[in-house]
């Protein structure tokens, strides 16, 4: 139990420290068109970046690339950026930061656009100081087109007390979409100038046109993986001798196959890749023991259970293809017909709990890991009150989808 506590504290410390400078698998393309797979420092970019830090491996020294040298870069599945020189207006989207002019004051600027949804018709976003501008490309455009939106105001000439200005909106983007990006008469009249509404609109448009959605940003809370797991456990068992103070009875260790399914869900931390998993597996084994205090004594344990494990998993990216993960948690064993010639049927616990800690390596859809479980007592016999079932495990898991 103490070892599990130390592991949990260590896991928390690693997660806290790494949260400040987590590097995740990504890539960038330089001005010459060379693509470099690497690890990129992941930040919560509320403003579109103009530079980023990267490493070749987790132990390498960090380097910095800027918008002047890079045409495109991506970090995991959360961020994709492309460089353009475009015209747009960044006057505020609130009355307090707006102007009286209905028309935007368009200026050229070199920027990284974030890809929101990628298909034959793609949606991009640029954000700076709380102001958001959206762009799109389709087979007929060479460069991203600005979806025009502007907040402006007009003086209040009614001379009523209180109101001095009247807020207005230039919603030209609605007419642009009606004229150029519309399938089967999509309704634009209630479409707001927000990432959520525009992403949904472009997704519906591409699906209507039969275009494949190649990429779409999503919150990590929705990144759920379901897969299968197979394990090779090493189990040992001991209990008190049936002759009081004669010592313990030890059983021969056995290799135990275990297999089942799992579900893993990432939680929406912007800097830390932390997930929680729920795993259900089946195992059955038979082991033999002998009490040397009793002549010709042969004991047998025929163990069958459904095991349910739950816990957090912290991911550390070693390179663009490999990750290290650490995990720990709680397991519950449900007895489904365990038998023994030492214990009566009603002397074996129906449910038992223990804890585990471990880690491993992952690449793509596969993970290989090791777990150490704490010992548990499966006996509720009054004559043999103490027993210890121990388990170590090596497992392989594969994501199905």
């Amino acid at each position: 139990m103490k070892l599990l506590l130390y592991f949990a504290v260590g896991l928390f410390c690693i997660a806290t420290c790494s949260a400040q400078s987590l590097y995740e698998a990504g890539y960038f393309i330089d001005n010459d068109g060379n693509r470099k797979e690497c690890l990129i420092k992941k930040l919560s970019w509320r403003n579109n970046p103009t530079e980023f830090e990267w490493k070749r491996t987790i132990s390498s020294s960090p380097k910095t690339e800027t918008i002047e040298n890079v045409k495109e870069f991506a970090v995991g599945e959360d961020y994709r950026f492309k460089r353009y020189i475009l015209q747009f207006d960044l006057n505020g989207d609130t009355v307090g930061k707006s102007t009286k002019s209905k028309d935007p004051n368009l200026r050229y600027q070199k920027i990284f656009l974030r890809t929101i949804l990628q298909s034959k018709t793609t949606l991009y976003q640029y954000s700076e100081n709380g102001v958001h501008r959206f762009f799109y490309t389709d087979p007929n455009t060479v460069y991203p087109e600005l979806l025009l939106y502007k907040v402006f105001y007009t003086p209040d000439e009614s001379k009523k007390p209180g109101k001095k200005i009247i807020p207005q909106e230039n919603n030209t983007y609605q007419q642009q979409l009606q004229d150029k990006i519309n399938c089967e008469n999509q309704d634009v009249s209630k479409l707001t100038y927000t990432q959520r509404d525009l992403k949904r609109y472009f997704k519906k448009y591409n699906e209507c046109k039969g275009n494949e959605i190649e990429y779409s940003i999503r919150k990590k809370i929705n990144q759920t993986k379901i897969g299968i797991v197979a394990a090779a456990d090493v189990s040992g068992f001991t209990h008190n001798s049936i002759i009081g103070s004669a010592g313990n009875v030890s059983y021969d260790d056995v290799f135990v196959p275990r297999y089942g399914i799992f579900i893993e869900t990432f939680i929406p931390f912007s800097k830390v890749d932390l997930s929680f998993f729920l795993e259900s597996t089946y195992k059955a084994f038979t082991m033999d023991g002998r009490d040397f205090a009793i002549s010709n004594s042969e004991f047998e344990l025929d163990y069958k259970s459904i095991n349910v494990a739950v816990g957090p998993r912290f991911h550390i990216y070693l390179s663009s293809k490999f990750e290290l993960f650490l995990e720990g948690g709680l397991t519950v064993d449900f007895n489904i017909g365990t038998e023994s010639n030492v214990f009566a049927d009603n002397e074996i616990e129906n449910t038992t709990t223990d804890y585990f800690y471990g880690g491993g390596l992952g690449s793509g859809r596969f993970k290989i890991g090791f777990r150490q479980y704490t010992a548990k007592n499966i006996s509720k016999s009054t004559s043999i009150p103490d027993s210890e079932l121990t388990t170590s495990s090596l497992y392989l898991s594969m994501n199905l989808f």
Side-chain angles (χ1 to χ4, degrees):
M1 188 66 185
K2 287 184 178 180
L3 190 58
L4 178 66
L5 178 61
Y6 295 151
F7 176 81
V9 172
L11 180 62
F12 175 78
C13 292
I14 292 172
T16 302
C17 295
S18 297
Q20 305 305 317
S21 58
L22 182 71
Y23 286 78
E24 187 168 337
Y27 72 88
F28 67 86
I29 300 175
D30 63 22
N31 290 338
D32 296 325
N34 300 314
R35 176 178 171 127
K36 184 182 292 294
E37 302 287 338
C38 62
L39 299 173
I40 297 178
K41 188 175 182 179
K42 189 175 182 181
L43 302 173
S44 53
W45 283 298
R46 296 188 177 182
N47 295 334
N48 286 40
T50 57
E51 62 181 25
F52 60 89
E53 287 187 14
W54 66 279
K55 295 181 177 183
R56 292 184 183 275
T57 65
I58 196 67
S59 59
S60 302
S61 299
K63 299 180 180 180
T64 300
E65 295 291 346
T66 71
I67 195 171
E68 300 299 331
N69 306 319
V70 173
K71 296 194 297 185
E72 178 181 335
F73 77 96
V75 188
E77 291 298 316
D78 300 310
Y79 294 101
R80 291 187 182 185
F81 293 100
K82 288 186 177 182
R83 184 186 68 189
Y84 294 99
I85 299 176
L86 299 171
Q87 277 187 310
F88 56 97
D89 179 10
L90 276 179
N91 280 318
D93 291 346
T94 60
V95 173
K97 297 181 179 180
S98 63
T99 66
K100 291 191 292 184
S101 173
K102 177 181 179 181
D103 299 321
N105 180 21
L106 300 178
R107 295 182 179 181
Y108 281 103
Q109 189 173 333
K110 185 184 292 185
I111 56 174
F112 277 127
L113 285 185
R114 184 183 182 186
T115 303
I116 304 301
L117 182 142
Q118 183 172 331
S119 185
K120 282 189 176 181
T121 301
T122 298
L123 176 66
Y124 299 96
Q125 179 176 346
Y126 181 79
S127 299
E128 184 177 324
N129 298 326
V131 179
H132 308 287
R133 294 293 177 259
F134 295 92
F135 301 77
Y136 75 92
T137 57
D138 65 14
N140 300 317
T141 60
V142 178
Y143 298 103
E145 294 278 346
L146 171 67
L147 290 171
L148 202 154
Y149 169 80
K150 188 177 187 297
V151 175
F152 64 101
Y153 64 88
T154 56
D156 180 15
E157 298 176 354
S158 65
K159 296 184 179 180
K160 292 180 179 179
K163 235 177 184 182
K164 302 299 180 183
I165 59 173
I166 301 174
Q168 304 281 350
E169 290 184 337
N170 178 350
N171 292 322
T172 302
Y173 71 94
Q174 293 180 343
Q175 191 61 50
Q176 289 175 273
L177 294 174
Q178 181 68 52
D179 295 341
K180 299 180 180 180
I181 311 294
N182 195 282
C183 183
E184 295 184 353
N185 200 28
Q186 286 176 265
D187 183 17
V188 299
S189 61
K190 297 181 180 179
L191 188 68
T192 62
Y193 198 75
T194 59
Q195 183 190 112
R196 180 182 178 183
D197 269 16
L198 290 172
K199 176 186 169 186
R200 185 182 300 166
Y201 183 91
F202 274 75
K203 182 175 184 291
K204 184 176 180 181
Y205 171 81
N206 279 291
E207 289 174 345
C208 178
K209 292 292 186 179
N211 301 334
E212 178 186 358
I213 305 297
E214 301 170 21
Y215 169 79
S216 176
I217 64 167
R218 54 182 180 174
K219 293 182 179 179
K220 282 205 159 183
I221 194 65
N222 295 325
Q223 291 186 358
T224 299
K225 300 175 182 178
I226 298 175
I228 56 177
V229 59
D233 294 354
V234 178
S235 293
F237 184 56
T238 62
H239 61 73
N240 302 114
S241 171
I242 61 176
I243 305 178
S245 61
N248 289 335
V249 178
S250 294
Y251 288 65
D252 296 331
D253 290 351
V254 294
F255 286 93
V256 182
R258 180 170 54 87
Y259 47 89
I261 60 174
F262 71 87
I263 182 169
E264 181 179 13
T265 298
F266 285 82
I267 64 175
F269 284 166
S270 60
K271 294 183 180 180
V272 180
D273 268 335
L274 180 65
S275 63
F276 282 88
F277 65 92
L278 177 67
E279 178 185 286
S280 179
T281 54
Y282 169 80
K283 66 179 178 181
F285 61 87
T286 300
M287 55 172 52
D288 299 316
R290 182 182 295 273
D291 190 341
F292 291 100
I294 304 174
S295 60
N296 299 322
S297 62
E298 294 185 357
F299 300 144
E300 183 179 271
L301 176 67
D302 185 15
Y303 191 85
K304 301 182 184 71
S305 74
I306 297 292
N307 179 272
V308 177
V310 61
R313 180 176 287 148
F314 177 63
H315 306 256
I316 305 170
Y317 294 92
L318 304 176
S319 71
S320 58
K321 294 183 179 179
F322 295 96
E323 66 167 281
L324 171 70
F325 64 87
L326 303 173
E327 62 186 19
L330 168 75
T331 67
V332 181
D333 251 9
F334 296 93
N335 177 7
I336 55 171
T338 297
E339 297 179 348
S340 171
N341 59 1
V342 178
F343 302 98
D345 291 343
N346 63 350
E347 292 181 335
I348 298 177
E349 295 282 3
N350 291 322
T351 60
T352 54
T353 60
D354 58 346
Y355 302 91
F356 67 90
Y357 57 91
L361 290 171
S363 180
R365 298 166 59 197
F366 297 93
K367 285 184 177 68
I368 184 169
F370 174 80
R371 287 181 192 163
Q372 181 63 51
Y373 296 81
T374 57
K376 59 186 174 184
N377 184 9
I378 66 170
S379 170
K380 57 180 181 179
S381 168
T382 56
S383 59
I384 310 176
D386 297 319
S387 69
E388 278 195 358
L389 181 62
T390 60
T391 303
S392 301
S393 179
L394 183 68
Y395 69 90
L396 175 68
S397 67
M398 180 179 72
N399 300 332
L400 298 179
F401 52 88

